[in-house]
Amino acid sequence: MLLALQQAQDAAAHALTGTAAEWLWVVPLLPLAGFVINGALSLFSATDLGPADPSAAHADAPSAHDSGTAHATGGAHGDDAHPVVRHRYAGITSFVGSAVLILSFLLSAVIFWQYKSIEGTVHAPYVQTYFSWLPAGDLQIDAALMIDQLSLVMLLVVTGVGALIHLFSVGYMREDPGYPRYFAYLNLFVFFMLVLVLGANYPVMFVGWEGVGLCSYLLIGFWFSEKANADAGKKAFIVNRIGDFGFLVAMFLMFANLGTLDFLQLQAATPDLVAGGALVTAICLFLFLGCAGKSAQIPLYVWLPDAMAGPTPVSALIHAATMVTAGVYLIARSHFLFALAPVASLTVVVIGALTAVFAATIGLKQWDIKKVLAYSTVSQLGYMFVGVGSGAYSAGIFHLVTHAFFKALLFLGSGSVIFAMHRAYHATHSHADAQDMRNMGGLGRYMPVTFTLMWIATLAISGVPPFSGFFSKDEILAGVFARARESLLADTRWLGIPGNFVLYGCYVLGLAAALMTAIYMTRMMLYTFHGPNRTGETERGHLAEAPWIMTGPLVVLGILSAFGGWLNLPALLPLGPIGLLEHWLDPVVGESALRLTHGHAPELTHSLEYALVGTAVAISAIGIWIAWSRLKPSALVPAAQAKPEEGFERVLAHKYYVDEMYDRAIVQPTYSTSRNLLWRGIDIGLIDGLMVNGSAWFSRGVGWIGSAIQSGQLGTYAWVLVLGVLAVVGAVTLR
Amino acid sequence: MPKGDFPLFYTFHFYLFGIVAVVSALLFVTRKSPVAAALWLVNTMFCLAALYVLLDAQFIGAIQVLVYAGAIMVVFLFVIMLLNLGHPSELADARGTGWKVAALAVGVVLLAEVFTLTRARLPESRALPPGFIAQEIAREGAIAPIARPLFTEYLLAFELTSILLLAAIVGAVVLGRRRQDAG
Amino acid sequence: MLAESLFFSAVLFVIGVVGVLTRRNAIIIFMCVELMLNAVNLAFVAFAQVYGVAGQVFVFFVMTVAAAEAAVGLAIIIALFRHKPTVNLQQINLLKG
């Protein structure tokens, strides 16, 4: 089939030439233009007040912040005590920032429609090459963008969810003095993410990969005047770098052995690779190292919870819907490699499953609402990797899409909550933590729309039918189960363990994670929206729904979370068109998926399928019931008065002390080596002392010798002369 | 003086003058008083002149006495007296012991090297028959064998030497002159 | 006679060298140089006995040059002495670099 694709590509101009797809380059360029404009606006207004951290916990800054001038709290609060003071260029920035995203989305939709209209005919991916970027000897890398079914899905998700989040940010960041800078960075991020998903070869994708890492750093540390935020940004960037190293090594291996880095050329070169061989396994493992960094899997997930220091829309966009899914996209894009390396695929599955469970356990005991969602993201990413690792590529991508919907909704919803809490605390000048769930409670009464939408998202993520999460999660679990029964993976040994054991074990881990997901999400809803309100007497009067600029995108996401499952209904429930997404992605990943399942689609008997579905639903229900019955929101006290945890709860609350372990094992030795060996030893001792000062000392010494020789003493000259004669005569004599 | 006539006499005097020359040189080098040193050097030159005569270079021997011992050394003594340097200086003007030992070592090494060189095989083809110069002197007298090459083959060198002497005279006069005050 | 003459010549030369290296009095050093020249003259004369009269002619020139050199050198020493009333070479170091 690949040969046919190649022939179709070579034979005639692509069916998409001359259509709107010609304007593909506009899609990433629009956000880039937004970045330039907003960045210029930000530079022109750089003398305005600097950024500050919005969380009420840091509001006990010097009184300058309380003077009533625009002090950034991360949200507009048109209090009667305090009018909304917006940035000078807020109007243009809001318009430009959102418009470029909406236009990008519309253009992507048009291109998608064009592509869909020619569906059915065998056609190769549509590649637009702009210029020869890196011609270096044997290596020929072009700046090229590619459209195929997979990148179109990602394109729509990125631009669509991105547009919604930009609209939300218009309201959320209203009073921030760094308003244009925020939109500039956000637009830049979308540009890089689009380069990542549209890239036609690994280097272009890597440009996007690095770029989103950069923007993540910039946006996490958006309120960098607080050291904790800047540190979180640095942590994200550095941990990502470790993953980038893996990506690079994989690229080097690919080039050294296959001579090309272009997706289509590599796919054509797969017959040259030894299936299951060391080379392709190494390439895939290094690629997965990159994914572990970018998509926060064990052991490189530690940056994601800290990344919650950034503004909440950033957390929604970058750390839920798009950037962290880049790793999943990478594996789906490299399907032809992973299909040849069952050991690597099994590794992906195992680490994904372990991460899912590990993060879910931590999420059970977090009190900051954003941290709960962060660990939930890590856990759900684990699910996606279980999907793409086991060869169910379309299932993994399906969960990616639905997760983008409901996780963005959850984050934006929590943003509305935090916004309301801030407004309340600001009015009373309280310094309590606006993000701590122990300070919330009963918000359902004050924010009904947000309340409803958050419940929709919670049910979706817990896998309750008929919401979207149920379909995607169930498909992954069913896929793993089916492949555990019969597939190439089941036949492979992973570290000596038979593959089917591994896959069954991962299935069980997946169920456990689903259970815990239901528990902690219900816990979050209980503590936030149900029960008595713990915010305080006076603050209560200020709790209200967020403005419609923020609630509107929430509604859209709510609809998508509720009905998104329609994208890929299983054959089991013929309520509508079956398997849309799977059929859509089949031309791209179908061949590799079949390679892993011995050439035919994995079959499960209907009864077995019903049993699996029933198990999944039952698990979700049990989880919700456990949380509902055993957790008492009325037993909570506000954060300031809460007791510290004890025992295993404390271990969970401190995230298994992983950060402390990394600090002891890696960070401190690096500091100490840098300080003692590299700085004192090499820099001061060797370079400054020996080379710089040493060469000066040497010159002085040579000069001293010279001056000693030029003593003006005839006696010395006579000596030298005689010694010279001695030497010459001696040479003659000895000859 | 041909050796063949009175070999023992010849050899004995050769070695006598040679050893006296060396001893005088040693004494010359080690004297504290410049005058004493100069006089020992004169003695060395006399012995060398004797050696020249024994080596069939009678003219050169005469010139040695006349020019070297008689003119040059006189000038030396003259300058010593002029500058009142005749007294043995209070401080020994030789360098310290370490230097002397080092100098001796250098001397020994140099001697060894020169000896080794003298052992080298000299080209036999150019050697003249022994006693050749003695025959020439017997034929023409002592001066002619030197004068003829001097004014024919080495005429250029002769002329240049005369210019050299001129330069030396002028230089010596200029350097020795007292500085003229202005006006 | 050649070998013995060369032997004496070498010894005298080395004595002259040692003298130059050891003494500090300028005039003594000068006289050591003269001793070296004389040693060389002896070598030339000895070779002249074997290889022809050109050696003696060269001795002639050496003597001439030595005379010229002695004259000029002593004039210099006198000039130096006027500047600084010493002939100790260690104190004459205006060329000190």
Side-chain angles (χ1 to χ4, degrees), chain A residues 421-513:
Chain A
M421 296 285 293
H422 251 298
R423 193 155 51 178
Y425 281 139
H426 181 71
T428 63
H429 298 285
S430 163
H431 292 175
D433 189 357
Q435 293 180 254
D436 195 315
M437 290 194 290
R438 292 173 290 198
N439 291 337
M440 301 176 190
L443 292 181
R445 290 191 284 284
Y446 305 100
M447 312 173 67
V449 180
T450 310
F451 172 62
T452 320
L453 292 170
M454 291 282 278
W455 258 117
I456 293 177
T458 304
L459 290 176
I461 196 175
S462 306
V464 172
F467 297 109
S468 54
F470 158 70
F471 292 104
S472 57
K473 202 182 279 200
D474 182 67
E475 193 169 325
I476 291 181
L477 290 175
V480 174
F481 194 85
R483 283 161 180 77
R485 295 188 58 191
E486 190 213 344
S487 71
L488 188 62
L489 296 177
D491 300 336
T492 320
R493 296 193 87 88
W494 187 77
L495 296 186
I497 311 171
N500 49 352
F501 279 7
V502 171
L503 286 173
Y504 279 125
C506 291
Y507 173 75
V508 172
L509 286 176
L511 285 181

Side-chain angles (χ1 to χ4, degrees), chain B residues 8 14 30-31 55 70 75 134 141 144 163 182:
Chain B
L8 184 61
F14 189 87
T30 50
R31 293 305 99 198
L55 287 169
V75 173
I163 295 178

